[in-house]
Amino acid sequence: MKALDELTFDNRFARLGDALSTHVLPEPIAEPCLVVASPAAMALLDLDPAVAETPVFAELFSGHKLWAEAEPRAMVYSGHQFGVYNPQLGDGRGLLLGEAYNEAGEHWDLHLKGAGQTPYSRMGDGRAVLRSSIREFLASEALQALGIPTTRALCVIGSSTPVWREKQERAAMLLRLSPSHVRFGHFEYFYYTKRPEQQKALGEHVLAMHFPECLEQPEPYLAMFREIVERNAELIAKWQAYGFCHGVMNTDNMSILGITFDFGPFAFLDDFDAHFICNHSDDQGRYSFSNQVPIGQWNLSALAQALTPFISVEALRETLGLYFPLYQAHYLDLMRRRLGLTTAEDDDQTLVENLLQLMQNAGVDYSLFFRRLGDHAPELAVTRLRDDFVDIKGFDAWAERYCARAARDGDNDQARRRIRMHAVNPLYILRNYLAQKAIDAAQSGDYAEVRRLHAVLSDPFTEQPGMERYAERPPEWGKHLEISCSS
Ligand code: AMP
Ligand code: MG
């Protein structure tokens, strides 16, 4: 276990020089105080969880103090936002403080979000509000606990610094951890500004640091692109299987590592709704829940375009073609598990689609349905669930097929089935209204609820005595919260 001043740094991205990022110092926020810290994320840096309570912790992650070895940098990138190319984005309110490495030799980017203005801030104030910092913190750590690849969150530090959004709010900072902060938009920036040498420096860095096994392939860039396609297909399959809606899948918010990145107006589905749009500025529903699948491919083709200096168009096109079949295979595999099935049959896809259609029609709670399906043997479970559906005849027909399918599946021991299903079907998810309640309390200075919610979501598959209210369906008001895009 390390103390805070024992962190060791090796700032590999900073060494790529000023063409890729700019030195900027964080601008501190006033009266910093710890809102919440993640012991699991601290462990990634070998940090003793007790150090979160020390004053120096809040000072380091609010811009008041810096390690001597840190080299804060704002990265430059561009990207497609809502389908339209924006030639210059970049870290407008976040800084890569440096790369710390742990005893296992793993490097973690320390990225301080809300650290003040940079050359890429455009009209923005460089700040992040408490509300959005708490949402990113809770979402990253909740996704991690669900087994969905994501950036991590070390802590949120609150302050008394005022910031203006629709109304006056308080600034906060979030310390994000990720093995890399390189986005699809990084490659797009150097491609569209026609800087092949810098693009090559970026490409070689990413290959060497994050895809070293691809360097052994005859065409390293192609091997890397293939890996990125595979990881994205798997990631988006997990989002769809668990009802996660990212909300702003712009190419500047897509990680080169294929992990969930940059949290804005995201949401987990309460009632199942394939057409759900969590970002209320997304008028066209470009990033609606079901559109995430084709948008994943659209974003990969934007990356492919930027990689044309390294890879033939034909090879790129062929590799892009892998996305959809891989997505479908992963998705079906996950949904079979969620249904408690251990084998594969040809009709399983239809079984899943029919169920989702019935859920859609009746507004059935997406997460709780699967949890309850595992509570009892199939016949009893479906009897208990049928009242939630509107098309009862349709549900009965589905239930009959499901029970027959489950019976053919081999392992019919209910105790084992329950354990198997509960291990993949969370009881607790980050519902918008739960986040909102924790945020409301935090905004009046009470951080106990954020901490409790974080603790509950850190173990989402295990029933936790006394935490029943976190497993309930949302109240009616909680289903229609509008999450502001301004953060
Ligand atoms: P986002 O919507 O958070 O993915 O951000 C899109 C772009 O806007 C990125 O370049 C951000 O750095 C920048 N940005 C967002 N909010 C602010 C802000 N308050 N101040 C400066 N830049 C910002
Ligand atoms: Mg972003």
Side-chain angles (χ1 to χ4, degrees):
M1 285 291 168
K2 283 185 186 166
L4 278 164
D5 58 1
E6 290 168 339
L7 279 190
T8 39
F9 286 84
D10 177 15
N11 305 318
R12 304 172 304 187
F13 196 88
R15 287 203 290 275
L16 294 174
D18 290 342
L20 282 87
S21 63
T22 308
H23 173 75
V24 182
L25 285 172
E27 268 174 67
I29 44 178
E31 300 182 74
C33 63
L34 176 70
V35 174
V36 61
S38 165
M42 290 177 74
L44 300 172
L45 300 177
D46 306 322
L47 284 175
D48 177 350
V51 304
E53 304 296 337
T54 60
V56 68
F57 187 85
E59 284 164 8
L60 279 165
F61 301 120
S62 61
H64 287 269
K65 264 199 168 152
L66 207 55
W67 294 267
E69 286 183 75
E71 289 179 72
R73 312 284 298 189
M75 292 168 136
V76 62
Y77 51 84
S78 61
H80 281 83
Q81 299 185 308
F82 289 89
V84 179
Y85 186 65
N86 185 335
Q88 182 149 4
L89 293 161
D91 289 335
R93 54 155 163 185
L95 294 174
L96 176 59
L97 294 181
E99 296 170 56
Y101 58 93
N102 62 19
E103 267 150 32
E106 295 158 345
H107 280 64
W108 289 96
D109 281 5
L110 268 57
H111 177 98
L112 191 60
K113 189 165 176 180
Q117 287 175 317
T118 77
Y120 314 110
S121 298
R122 295 173 293 162
M123 308 300 280
D125 59 7
R127 293 304 187 196
V129 295
L130 180 62
R131 140 180 77 78
S132 66
S133 307
I134 290 175
R135 280 172 49 86
E136 171 155 351
F137 177 90
L138 291 172
S140 338
E141 296 307 284
L143 285 171
Q144 170 69 24
L146 289 172
I148 301 180
T150 175
T151 58
R152 303 296 303 273
L154 188 82
C155 63
V156 174
I157 306 296
S159 79
S160 60
T161 300
V163 284
W164 285 93
R165 294 296 181 259
E166 284 91 6
K167 55 183 172 70
Q168 188 182 307
E169 300 192 41
R170 301 264 178 232
M173 290 192 197
L174 171 112
L175 196 284
R176 182 200 277 158
L177 296 176
S178 176
S180 170
H181 275 73
V182 174
R183 306 148 190 259
F184 288 13
H186 273 89
F187 283 92
E188 294 181 280
Y189 178 75
F190 294 106
Y191 171 74
Y192 289 105
T193 53
K194 301 196 170 52
R195 288 183 227 189
E197 275 169 32
Q198 276 128 19
Q199 203 193 18
K200 192 151 176 271
L202 173 73
E204 285 179 0
H205 171 83
V206 171
L207 269 166
M209 301 302 147
H210 307 295
F211 298 90
E213 63 294 342
C214 296
L215 286 169
E216 283 148 36
Q217 300 294 315
E219 287 193 64
Y221 280 95
L222 177 57
M224 175 171 81
F225 182 64
R226 189 187 164 116
E227 179 75 24
I228 296 169
V229 169
E230 288 173 1
R231 289 189 196 183
N232 273 278
E234 187 164 355
L235 175 69
I236 293 171
K238 288 185 173 163
W239 288 357
Q240 301 310 114
Y242 283 94
F244 178 76
C245 201
H246 180 284
V248 199
M249 289 174 72
N250 293 336
T251 57
D252 54 302
N253 292 339
M254 300 295 292
S255 162
I256 206 74
L257 301 179
I259 64 182
T260 316
F261 192 36
D262 231 337
F263 297 83
F266 70 84
F268 281 87
L269 296 182
D270 291 309
D271 297 352
F272 181 77
D273 179 6
H275 315 299
F276 181 67
I277 302 166
C278 60
N279 178 356
H280 77 125
S281 341
D282 182 6
D283 311 322
Q284 313 283 313
R286 179 179 172 88
Y287 300 136
S288 72
F289 180 64
S290 58
N291 267 2
Q292 297 191 122
V293 182
I295 288 292
Q297 183 158 27
W298 194 96
N299 287 342
L300 287 162
S301 36
L303 176 64
Q305 180 65 45
L307 293 177
T308 48
F310 304 115
I311 309 168
S312 76
V313 170
E314 200 181 313
L316 284 166
R317 201 168 281 147
E318 195 180 309
T319 310
L320 271 174
L322 300 173
Y323 170 82
F324 196 65
L326 279 172
Y327 161 80
Q328 275 196 308
H330 282 299
Y331 177 73
L332 193 54
D333 179 55
L334 290 163
M335 295 308 283
R336 280 194 184 105
R337 288 168 196 251
R338 297 206 73 178
L339 288 169
L341 304 172
T342 59
T343 58
E345 283 189 13
D346 288 347
D347 283 346
D348 291 345
Q349 173 90 23
T350 322
L351 194 69
V352 170
E353 282 167 9
N354 292 166
L355 172 64
L356 295 183
Q357 189 60 58
L358 289 159
M359 283 181 152
Q360 170 95 32
N361 296 345
V364 172
D365 189 89
Y366 186 59
S367 300
L368 288 178
F369 176 86
F370 291 101
R371 184 75 183 190
R372 292 185 178 150
L373 191 65
D375 278 343
H376 305 284
E379 289 73 13
L380 179 57
V382 295
T383 311
R384 297 215 170 171
L385 285 162
R386 88 194 267 274
D387 288 347
D388 290 344
F389 288 81
V390 173
D391 176 5
I392 300 274
K393 262 174 107 180
F395 180 73
D396 286 346
W398 180 86
E400 199 180 316
R401 273 163 50 221
Y402 171 68
C403 291
R405 172 68 183 87
R408 285 196 303 277
D409 194 60
D411 187 0
N412 289 310
D413 179 85
Q414 173 52 21
R416 272 201 301 270
R417 176 176 173 274
R418 181 188 167 102
I419 291 169
R420 183 170 76 229
M421 287 182 73
H422 284 6
V424 294
N425 292 323
L427 181 58
Y428 309 105
I429 58 157
L430 179 57
R431 298 178 185 274
N432 258 341
Y433 92 100
L434 291 174
Q436 195 53 48
K437 278 181 151 178
I439 288 166
D440 291 344
Q443 282 173 334
S444 48
D446 177 2
Y447 306 135
E449 184 58 20
V450 178
R451 295 177 186 186
R452 194 157 44 232
L453 181 56
H454 166 235
V456 170
L457 295 170
S458 303
D459 193 8
F461 300 107
T462 309
E463 197 166 335
Q464 301 168 39
M467 298 300 165
E468 293 74 15
R469 70 194 173 86
Y470 295 96
E472 284 167 9
R473 289 192 72 164
E476 213 40 47
W477 65 264
K479 289 185 184 175
H480 310 289
L481 294 173
E482 291 210 327
I483 300 304
S484 160
C485 200
S486 71
S487 56

